[in-house]
Amino acid sequence: MKPLKKYTYWASAIVMSVLVVTCMSIEEIIHPDNAQVNSDIDIVVKIKIDADTDRSSKLAFGVLAPKSWNIANSAIVTLTTTADFPANVVTNESLTVIPAGENNPSDGQPWPTSFQSKFGVLGNTGPVEWVVFESNTTFQVHDKDDGTKKVINGTVNIKLHTGDRAIKLFMGYTFCGKQFGFSREEYNDDLFVSAKVLEVTDGDDPVWDYTVEPQISYVPATFSFGDIFSVKYNEPNSVTTGGLKGGNVYLYGKARYSANGITTEKVIDEISSKTLMDELGDMGQVTSWQKYIYPKDFFDLPDDAVIIELWVHFTNQDKSIIIVDNETEEDFNVEPTCQ
Amino acid sequence: MKKYVLLFTIVSALFSFSSCDDADRLKMVSDYPADYDITYGIRLVMQYDEVNVNGIDLAARFPFFETFRLTIHYTDSKISAVTLSNGEIPFSPYDFEIPTGKTACYLDTEALPNELRIAGTNNVIAYFQNGEFSIPFKLDCAALDYKYTFKSVN
């Protein structure tokens, strides 16, 4: 059965596109059929601007992509338009990343932060980021003159280099006028964003599937062992026996650390309030529990301890059920993701 | 009945005159404390990252956050000193050693947001903005930001 979340995002994308069909819209997204790891891929996004107001602006075009692809530094994005008004016609114009110091005028936030705040991560469960590009051309749109400046059709070509890991995710696309951002005057709350699944295959490692909740996840997704983060266990609702639903869930932890030049291990294996996880309940496809930890405190380590590796598993009140990593059949290896 | 109404009016007038006595009003002004302390405990522990740009409050997740205390001492109605206790929190929000005992400090109102600084140093204890103190800090990952905000626990 396909994940419900996938349908939800498709449905919302379609509904939102319909809402704004008379002003700004994404008409079509074309992903490659057979994207491979460590290769260049081409994505095409067809857009349409049908003016409801008289304003001129550069285009701000946002792409949601895996953080590990670093598309701000690696993607080549170009725009080609067709329009009755000659000055609105461009061919293969390069779109460049909006510099870090510039903010979205409608909310005063840096562009990637603004898009993140407005649209989120579109259901992805792994680290992704919004990167916002701008056109060089200021497009002129009017709805009251002879009509030639009313409609612009555009094709955005995005050339990306995939990473070395097979991945499945919701790629996200949206755009607005750079001069006015998400101003209500221009959009009447009809903000839109489109998401489409992209699957990159091949490679030696297991696929990162950001479209489903993994067995284990973390909040925030980016952290180091010296931070506060939550360890989240997600049990598919299809699991009816042998799972942890219906009772308390506890976190087991093992840390390998060095202190005073000595490397040693410490295990926390107890059924107590210290290890009791908070039940987040039925999240749709999965039932989830989470436990926030500050690792040094959780493992009661000395101040100068440096954690090298950390493993966890999840268990029930009488430890009769132990949930380990499906792939390795060992404890989950918690890998810090902060770079 | 009219007699009672008249009597009530006279008694009320007498009471109102006595409560407006000038000497009492002056006394009230002179007793108003110019030297006092306000002790704060943590209200919110916000964690910000690229996904959760509006932050997640961690305060209730760890009982040790309840043990932090920030006492601000006022002399002649101005901030003159601070007493800090990190309680049982297993990390410090500062990259300098937390001062022990009552430590002279001042509010630098030239800086925006205003900075509560330890006297004679560049060490900022807290920031004051929009009517409240806050302490922003980082732990390990540079991409994560944390911030304490406070409530009075006097």
Side-chain angles (χ1 to χ4, degrees):
Chain A
M1 185 177 145
K2 289 184 179 178
L4 182 62
K5 193 173 281 177
K6 191 186 294 183
Y7 294 118
T8 306
Y9 276 95
W10 268 108
S12 62
I14 291 165
V15 168
M16 297 192 99
S17 296
V18 169
L19 282 173
V20 297
V21 75
T22 55
C23 44
M24 301 175 87
S25 57
I26 289 178
E27 303 287 291
E28 189 179 8
I29 299 166
I30 303 168
H31 282 168
D33 291 333
N34 186 25
Q36 304 280 304
V37 298
N38 286 319
S39 62
D40 290 332
I41 61 169
D42 291 298
I43 292 170
V44 176
V45 181
K46 294 188 175 174
I47 64 173
K48 184 176 183 182
I49 300 167
D50 192 347
D52 278 343
T53 55
D54 293 355
R55 289 287 277 273
S56 298
S57 175
K58 291 183 175 182
L59 187 76
F61 188 85
V63 180
L64 182 75
K67 221 175 158 192
S68 58
W69 289 4
N70 189 20
I71 69 163
N73 292 313
S74 62
I76 298 169
V77 184
T78 59
L79 172 68
T80 297
T81 59
T82 57
D84 290 338
F85 186 61
N88 285 341
V89 177
V90 298
T91 304
N92 288 329
E93 175 177 308
S94 289
L95 301 188
T96 54
V97 175
I98 298 180
E102 294 188 33
N103 295 337
N104 183 337
S106 60
D107 60 15
Q109 299 189 86
W111 283 94
T113 308
S114 173
F115 278 40
Q116 169 67 41
S117 181
K118 193 71 72 179
F119 303 117
V121 293
L122 306 181
N124 286 295
T125 56
V128 290
E129 63 180 352
W130 280 103
V131 177
V132 188
F133 301 84
E134 65 174 315
S135 64
N136 184 46
T137 299
T138 296
F139 294 95
Q140 301 172 43
V141 290
H142 294 285
D143 66 341
K144 295 189 183 73
D145 60 9
D146 62 0
T148 59
K149 296 179 185 173
K150 190 169 166 54
V151 178
I152 303 170
N153 286 293
T155 301
V156 180
N157 288 283
I158 307 163
K159 187 180 280 292
L160 299 173
H161 191 76
T162 60
D164 54 10
R165 188 82 181 243
I167 192 169
K168 184 178 178 186
L169 80 154
F170 297 105
M171 290 289 289
Y173 310 94
T174 189
F175 69 97
C176 64
K178 192 191 171 201
Q179 267 66 11
F180 38 80
F182 302 128
S183 160
R184 284 190 174 194
E185 189 186 336
E186 274 71 23
Y187 291 99
N188 300 316
D189 280 343
D190 294 338
L191 301 175
F192 70 96
V193 62
S194 291
K196 186 173 182 180
V197 171
L198 174 66
E199 206 163 353
V200 176
T201 57
D202 230 352
D204 299 328
D205 298 312
V207 63
W208 280 335
D209 191 347
Y210 291 180
T211 64
V212 296
E213 284 286 352
Q215 253 187 309
I216 187 170
S217 58
Y218 310 96
V219 177
T222 301
F223 64 91
S224 295
F225 288 145
D227 285 298
I228 294 170
F229 59 91
S230 84
V231 179
K232 204 167 146 192
Y233 167 55
N234 308 301
E235 186 168 277
N237 287 338
S238 55
V239 173
T240 51
T241 56
L244 296 176
K245 280 191 284 292
N248 287 337
V249 175
Y250 296 87
L251 177 70
Y252 160 100
K254 182 169 77 173
R256 193 161 69 87
Y257 69 97
S258 68
N260 289 324
I262 299 168
T263 299
T264 186
E265 287 185 355
K266 178 97 182 262
V267 171
I268 298 296
D269 183 11
E270 61 184 58
I271 301 299
S272 68
S273 58
K274 178 189 174 86
T275 58
L276 177 65
M277 300 183 74
D278 298 321
E279 182 169 353
L280 301 177
D282 186 343
M283 313 299 283
Q285 302 170 60
V286 296
T287 297
S288 300
W289 294 261
Q290 74 171 359
K291 181 74 182 173
Y292 269 95
I293 62 169
Y294 177 65
K296 261 191 198 177
D297 177 62
F298 184 78
F299 290 99
D300 198 20
L301 303 182
D303 286 347
D304 64 341
V306 176
I307 297 175
I308 301 163
E309 278 192 285
L310 204 157
W311 300 267
V312 297
H313 70 233
F314 309 99
T315 190
N316 58 349
Q317 190 88 31
D318 61 9
K319 298 186 186 175
S320 58
I321 299 172
I322 293 175
I323 303 293
V324 295
D325 191 330
N326 276 343
E327 290 174 10
T328 63
E329 297 186 345
E330 294 177 354
D331 289 344
F332 295 93
N333 186 1
V334 179
E335 296 178 63
T337 48
C338 186
Q339 294 172 342
Chain B
M1 182 66 182
K2 272 184 184 171
K3 192 163 59 177
Y4 289 118
V5 171
L6 183 65
L7 187 62
F8 178 75
T9 307
I10 293 168
V11 169
S12 299
L14 284 172
F15 272 111
S16 67
F17 284 136
S18 68
S19 66
C20 291
D21 183 83
D22 281 351
D24 280 352
R25 279 194 284 176
L26 285 172
K27 189 179 171 188
M28 204 171 98
V29 170
S30 63
D31 275 358
Y32 189 79
D35 298 347
Y36 57 96
D37 300 337
I38 298 178
T39 299
Y40 295 95
I42 286 175
R43 183 168 69 90
L44 300 172
V45 181
M46 300 304 293
Q47 182 187 55
Y48 303 92
D49 69 285
E50 289 170 338
V51 174
N52 300 294
V53 292
N54 298 320
I56 293 174
D57 179 20
L58 306 174
R61 304 286 180 188
F62 299 92
F64 55 62
F65 284 128
E66 291 171 15
T67 62
F68 186 97
R69 287 293 179 270
L70 168 68
T71 301
I72 297 182
H73 307 279
Y74 291 79
T75 305
D76 293 333
S77 299
K78 285 186 178 174
I79 291 173
S80 59
V82 66
T83 303
L84 269 168
S85 169
N86 202 43
E88 294 163 14
I89 299 176
F91 52 78
S92 167
Y94 305 118
D95 57 7
F96 53 86
E97 196 167 330
I98 295 177
T100 52
K102 193 171 174 178
T103 306
C105 72
Y106 65 100
L107 188 67
D108 182 354
T109 54
E110 302 279 304
L112 287 175
N114 296 167
E115 295 173 347
L116 183 63
R117 287 179 174 276
I118 298 174
T121 74
N122 287 325
N123 295 338
V124 175
I125 292 284
Y127 294 88
F128 185 76
Q129 192 173 30
N130 300 327
E132 70 172 0
F133 287 99
S134 64
I135 302 176
F137 61 99
K138 287 183 184 288
L139 289 177
D140 197 354
C141 180
L144 298 182
D145 291 291
Y146 301 82
K147 186 171 79 173
Y148 292 156
T149 58
F150 297 94
K151 61 187 175 188
S152 170
V153 293
N154 273 2

